[in-house]
Amino acid sequence: MTLKTPVLTETAPAPLPGIYSQAIIANGVVYCSGSVALDPKTGKLIDGDIKAHTHQCIKNLSNVLQAAGSDITKVVKVNVFLSNMDDFAEMNSVYTQYWGDVKPSRTCVAVKTLPLNTDVEIECIAVL
């Protein structure tokens, strides 16, 4: 049987109680839940555009990965969800600043609606 270990840190937005974990560690892999541009201290979406929101999503994921014993350079897969594919280029202008020299594999899709009607959500998978 595979052991699953939940990750919980106050440096990233709190998960909804009883619904999901910020991340799960299993078999040397960290599976991060999707992150929107919430401020971990206030629990509210930060002000700003798609670029500011993308930075915040990745900052939140970085904090979860650090709490799990990993980091952003160990990410192997990213899924990006946009509410409007017209934001693709601006999101990418921020996204490319992260993840180290070897970028992870990635999927980016447009969706009808994201939590709190925000414009971007990002999830990732990393190795320890």
Side-chain angles (χ1 to χ4, degrees), residues 26-32 61 65 70-79 95 98-100 102-107 122-128:
N27 293 327
V29 178
V30 183
Y31 300 87
C32 291
L61 288 169
L65 290 166
S70 187
D71 65 62
I72 199 86
T73 65
K74 296 178 182 173
V75 171
V76 295
K77 174 69 172 142
V78 176
N79 291 320
Y95 177 93
Y98 296 93
W99 318 106
V102 178
K103 303 299 185 211
S105 62
R106 187 182 93 175
T107 300
I122 303 174
E123 67 180 25
C124 66
I125 302 169
V127 294
L128 288 176

Side-chain angles (χ1 to χ4, degrees), residues 26-112:
N27 293 327
V29 178
V30 183
Y31 300 87
C32 291
S33 292
S35 178
V36 296
L38 290 177
D39 180 320
K41 293 177 185 160
T42 66
K44 297 183 189 264
L45 283 173
I46 65 163
D47 291 332
D49 60 6
I50 186 73
K51 289 181 178 183
H53 290 169
T54 301
H55 276 295
Q56 187 65 43
C57 290
I58 296 171
K59 179 180 176 181
N60 290 341
L61 288 169
S62 294
N63 289 338
V64 171
L65 290 166
Q66 183 178 15
S70 187
D71 65 62
I72 199 86
T73 65
K74 296 178 182 173
V75 171
V76 295
K77 174 69 172 142
V78 176
N79 291 320
V80 178
F81 306 95
L82 296 173
S83 63
N84 186 338
M85 201 52 90
D86 291 342
D87 290 332
F88 185 76
E90 287 191 341
M91 178 277 299
N92 276 328
S93 72
V94 172
Y95 177 93
T96 56
Q97 298 171 33
Y98 296 93
W99 318 106
D101 293 333
V102 178
K103 303 299 185 211
S105 62
R106 187 182 93 175
T107 300
C108 181
V109 296
V111 296
K112 184 175 179 180

